Amino acid sequence: MDQDPKELKKMGSKIGKIVVAVIVLAIIIGNSMYTIGEQEQAVITTFGKPSCVNEPGLHFKIPFIQHVSLVDTTIKGFSIGYDQNTGESIETESLMITVDYNFVLIDFFVEYKVSDPIKYVYNSQDPISILKNLAQSCIRSQVGSYDVDSVITTGKNEIQAAIREKIDEKLEQQDLGIQLVNITIQDAEPPTAEVMEAFKAVETAKQGKETAINNAEKYRSEKIPDAEAQVDQIQKEAEAKKESRINEAEGQVARFNAIYQEYIKNPLITKQRMFYETMEDVLPDLKVIIDNSEGGVEKVLPMEPFVKEGE
């Protein structure tokens, strides 16, 4: 018996709708259910805001409205100073300097776990990298406050405890939702021969610097007293010259005043006297005769030529 094509078309349309409905329902159910493992916690966000944290087991959520972020709560760790997979040393991380100016290669292993899933997911983009940077900073700070013998032998436990305390303080300030479980020194040893040679070169340069500074200070301490003595001598000589010039000037002023007083009393005689004294100063070796026999007019008659022959 042949079926009507219209009925077949209707039946096919119904079957298609049922299939679509089943698929949609399966998607909704699939997006509504999620499972949390034993060592996990889930942060549930509603419209992008964290609303709760769920424990392990089967849970339901509102599809397309709530989002689930699974967080592993097991203890994890990372290495500092060496590659955890190959065991090869990473000198940029392990090479450190102690308080007594010695180099040392020291490796650490840091263990941590998530203490607050919401803060771990939302307070920072990469909390593990931040923890590693904090750990490296605290490690270098503490290792740099101990001598090389303590770092390599007797002081490991003390150093580990001090570093852990510092990291805990930093984590509390950063509020990353991470808890430090433990940090241990894996290995500590002197650096390679190449590094030791470089260290010796640095130490030699430091000693040369100190020697140069000491020599400069010695030269300075020797020269400053000499310079101060020279300054004092120059000042004293200047004061002496000053006093001499003042006394000389005052003497000349007194002499001038005395001459002036005589000049006032008898100007002509004073002029003649000054003329004769000047001639004696200008021509000390010239013999002259002064004649005033002709009506009171004086004549100066040189007995010898002003310029001798042959000069």
Side-chain angles (χ1 to χ4, degrees), residues 227-241:
E228 290 176 347
Q230 291 179 3
V231 169
D232 185 62
Q233 182 180 355
I234 292 171
Q235 288 178 341
K236 289 180 179 178
E237 291 178 354
E239 289 293 333
K241 287 183 179 179

Side-chain angles (χ1 to χ4, degrees), residues 27-269:
I27 292 174
I28 292 174
I29 294 173
N31 281 284
S32 299
M33 300 174 57
Y34 64 94
T35 303
I36 304 174
E38 290 186 4
Q39 301 294 330
E40 292 179 329
Q41 286 183 321
V43 179
I44 311 302
T45 58
T46 304
F47 295 110
K49 293 183 179 181
S51 55
C52 63
V53 176
N54 287 335
E55 300 297 328
L58 180 63
H59 298 271
F60 294 90
K61 66 182 180 67
I62 303 173
F64 312 111
I65 295 176
Q66 291 183 320
H67 178 72
V68 178
S69 298
L70 295 177
V71 178
D72 190 347
T73 58
T74 59
I75 295 175
K76 295 183 178 181
F78 55 82
S79 59
I80 296 177
Y82 67 98
D83 190 314
Q84 192 172 350
N85 296 321
T86 63
E88 295 181 358
S89 177
I90 304 174
E91 287 195 357
T92 55
E93 296 181 356
S94 63
L95 184 61
M96 303 180 195
I97 188 169
T98 59
V99 71
D100 52 352
Y101 300 105
N102 283 299
F103 282 110
V104 63
L105 293 173
I106 183 167
D107 302 332
F108 287 84
F109 189 77
V110 179
E111 294 177 283
Y112 68 93
K113 69 176 183 179
V114 176
S115 58
D116 189 322
I118 293 178
K119 293 179 180 179
Y120 176 79
V121 174
Y122 292 100
N123 280 17
S124 63
Q125 186 174 0
D126 192 353
I128 307 305
S129 295
I130 296 175
L131 174 60
K132 186 170 184 178
N133 291 333
L134 290 176
Q136 288 179 311
S137 174
C138 295
I139 287 170
R140 291 191 179 277
S141 174
Q142 291 303 312
V143 171
S145 62
Y146 288 84
D147 57 50
V148 66
D149 292 334
S150 299
V151 174
I152 295 178
T153 57
T154 58
K156 289 184 178 180
N157 292 333
E158 182 179 346
I159 294 171
Q160 289 175 174
I163 292 172
R164 179 170 181 172
E165 183 178 353
K166 288 290 184 182
I167 294 176
D168 285 337
E169 291 177 3
K170 297 290 185 181
L171 285 176
E172 185 176 354
Q173 295 173 4
Q174 296 291 330
D175 201 20
L176 301 175
I178 297 177
Q179 175 186 348
L180 179 66
V181 176
N182 197 16
I183 181 168
T184 55
I185 297 176
Q186 299 296 300
D187 192 16
E189 60 184 4
T192 60
E194 291 80 2
V195 176
M196 289 299 295
E197 288 298 323
F199 174 74
K200 289 179 181 179
V202 172
E203 285 298 310
T204 301
K206 288 181 179 178
Q207 293 175 1
K209 172 186 175 183
E210 292 175 358
T211 300
I213 292 174
N214 292 335
N215 290 337
E217 290 292 338
K218 180 181 178 182
Y219 179 80
R220 177 176 176 269
S221 62
E222 291 175 352
K223 291 299 181 182
I224 286 179
D226 293 341
E228 290 176 347
Q230 291 179 3
V231 169
D232 185 62
Q233 182 180 355
I234 292 171
Q235 288 178 341
K236 289 180 179 178
E237 291 178 354
E239 289 293 333
K241 287 183 179 179
K242 172 186 173 183
E243 293 295 329
S244 176
R245 293 288 179 85
I246 292 174
N247 294 334
E248 182 181 354
E250 290 176 348
Q252 291 179 355
V253 169
R255 181 171 177 271
F256 176 81
N257 290 333
I259 293 174
Y260 182 69
Q261 294 298 326
E262 294 297 326
Y263 175 79
I264 294 174
K265 296 177 183 178
N266 196 334
L268 180 61
I269 294 176

Side-chain angles (χ1 to χ4, degrees), residues 260-302:
Y260 182 69
Q261 294 298 326
E262 294 297 326
Y263 175 79
I264 294 174
K265 296 177 183 178
N266 196 334
L268 180 61
I269 294 176
T270 303
K271 288 180 179 180
Q272 290 177 346
R273 178 184 172 186
M274 293 176 64
F275 173 76
Y276 297 150
E277 290 176 353
T278 302
M279 294 302 295
E280 287 178 357
D281 293 335
V282 174
L283 304 171
D285 298 328
L286 185 65
K287 296 179 181 180
V288 299
I289 297 175
I290 300 174
D291 181 15
N292 59 355
S293 58
E294 298 180 2
V297 178
E298 294 183 350
K299 292 185 293 182
V300 179
L301 305 174

